[in-house]
Amino acid sequence: MPMTAPTFPDPNPLSISRRQRRPIVPTREHRGSDRPSWICDRPEAGVYLRRRREALRLTREEVALAASTTVSSLRKWEAGLRHPSTDSLVAWCRALDLPDWMLRKMTSLVLNGMDTLAVGTWPPTFSNDDLDHLEMVAGPAYYYSFPHLDVLAANTIARQTIPSLLPADLGSPRPTNFVEWIMTKPARDLIANWQTVATRLVYLLRVMGPGLVSQHRLDEIFNFCYSQSPHDFTLFFDTELTKAEMNDDVVLLRNPSTDAIEQCTYRYLRPVQPMRPYEQFQMAKRSRPQETIDQTPVG
């Protein structure tokens, strides 16, 4: 029977240490649930960044100095009593070593949803021109919704290279999802550094999704992933990543015919002009493969 992803009080989504990567310990319900939880309420930027500061074991004085602001201002920002300017927000995030993509969510929260981040709908609507541009990409490429990470369209090379990751039929009640797919056996068989890539995807949705993706959609993704492998999904969900680990873009694809490992890198791209209701994910085979790639799982 499908279960709703439980809501836990005062979850901590940003536990991270510069000195030593460590798994987060999600707050559990008093009834004894062992399952991790999405953060379901639309959070305040100050709450995120206060938790980040505390996880880094930094004082307000240290962060205020690094962000070129006063302790009084920082205290008000963390309490949600005042919003920083855009420049101050960037400096605040830099002081806490936040990845650039996380700044997008902070900006959305501070600007009260001016940039909702959420792009892409199901079923999608694409023009022939949109699909032509996708086909022109030399490697596997997809249009997807963000931060849901739902697959909306794929080019021919993607369909041939990764046949297990195809957009759902337009009549399907729900789309294919990157995070759900990464938890399946075909993904495990295809990606040599599967645990590392899976951790990145789960982390991205865990941090960016709550407050921007509907609770119903988060529950669907949560239940599917948990049903595939409760142990692995919980491990990935509870793992924090450093900025360098999150920016690692290497995917090791196993050739199903030869079993040879092909080194690829990926990019998340956002159309700027003209703006489109989707984002683009694409992979490229390395022209100069590295001799050794660390396949040690993160976490």
Side-chain angles (χ1 to χ4, degrees):
M1 177 181 297
M3 299 179 63
T4 299
T7 304
F8 302 125
D10 195 25
N12 182 352
L14 293 174
S15 297
I16 185 171
S17 171
R18 282 178 180 157
R19 301 174 183 85
Q20 181 179 4
R21 183 177 68 250
R22 59 181 181 176
I24 64 172
V25 181
T27 305
R28 308 293 181 181
E29 285 185 314
H30 295 299
R31 291 191 295 272
S33 171
D34 290 328
R35 296 180 62 176
S37 169
W38 306 107
I39 306 159
C40 303
D41 296 330
R42 182 175 177 84
E44 296 292 334
V47 174
Y48 268 107
L49 297 183
R50 173 179 60 80
R51 289 170 177 162
R52 176 79 168 190
R53 174 181 62 77
E54 292 171 347
L56 291 172
R57 299 183 178 88
L58 297 175
T59 65
R60 285 194 179 94
E61 288 76 13
E62 290 172 321
V63 174
L65 179 62
S68 301
T69 190
T70 65
V71 174
S72 176
S73 293
L74 182 63
R75 183 177 289 108
K76 292 176 181 177
W77 295 346
E78 289 187 344
L81 300 177
R82 179 183 300 172
H83 286 321
S85 66
T86 301
D87 289 343
S88 295
L89 176 62
V90 172
W92 187 11
C93 291
R94 295 283 183 264
L96 295 173
D97 196 36
L98 279 181
D100 292 337
W101 55 266
M102 188 63 184
L103 182 59
R104 288 182 59 190
K105 182 163 187 174
M106 295 300 99
T107 303
S108 175
L109 295 174
V110 168
L111 295 179
N112 196 28
M114 182 176 292
D115 178 4
T116 64
L117 301 184
V119 297
T121 58
W122 184 258
T125 301
F126 297 109
S127 69
N128 289 332
D129 292 341
D130 292 332
L131 298 177
D132 288 343
H133 278 272
L134 193 64
E135 281 297 324
M136 288 298 295
V137 179
Y142 301 86
Y143 289 148
Y144 70 98
S145 64
F146 185 86
H148 314 68
L149 302 181
D150 290 332
V151 179
L152 305 178
N155 66 2
T156 300
I157 296 177
R159 293 171 180 273
Q160 294 172 345
T161 305
I162 313 177
S164 59
L165 182 59
L166 300 178
D169 294 334
L170 295 181
S172 175
R174 53 191 292 244
T176 301
N177 181 269
F178 276 120
V179 182
E180 291 182 344
W181 173 79
I182 201 66
M183 296 302 300
T184 64
K185 187 177 185 302
R188 293 171 184 253
D189 294 341
L190 178 68
I191 302 175
N193 58 338
W194 172 76
Q195 288 183 291
T196 297
V197 176
T199 302
R200 290 182 209 143
L201 282 172
V202 172
Y203 178 79
L204 179 60
L205 182 61
R206 174 172 67 81
V207 174
M208 295 298 287
L212 299 174
V213 179
S214 72
Q215 179 63 47
H216 175 71
R217 187 69 185 115
L218 286 177
D219 287 344
E220 287 182 331
I221 299 170
F222 180 101
N223 284 311
F224 181 89
C225 293
Y226 192 84
S227 70
Q228 296 300 299
S229 178
H231 176 268
D232 287 332
F233 180 64
T234 301
L235 175 64
F236 301 155
F237 191 98
D238 287 357
T239 298
E240 275 296 332
L241 299 180
T242 65
K243 184 175 181 178
E245 287 167 341
M246 195 58 208
N247 288 336
D248 180 11
D249 60 355
V250 175
V251 178
L252 304 179
L253 295 182
R254 182 175 288 108
N255 188 310
S257 300
T258 65
D259 208 37
I261 302 299
E262 298 179 351
Q263 294 183 22
C264 300
T265 57
Y266 63 80
R267 296 289 185 271
Y268 294 103
L269 306 174
R270 190 181 194 189
V272 175
Q273 179 59 35
M275 294 187 66
R276 312 306 293 168
Y278 53 76
E279 297 198 2
Q280 182 173 313
F281 173 87
Q282 64 186 52
M283 289 190 290
K285 185 177 178 179
R286 272 184 164 163
S287 58
R288 297 181 180 179
Q290 296 182 9
E291 291 186 3
T292 58
I293 294 290
D294 183 8
Q295 298 186 39
T296 304
V298 297

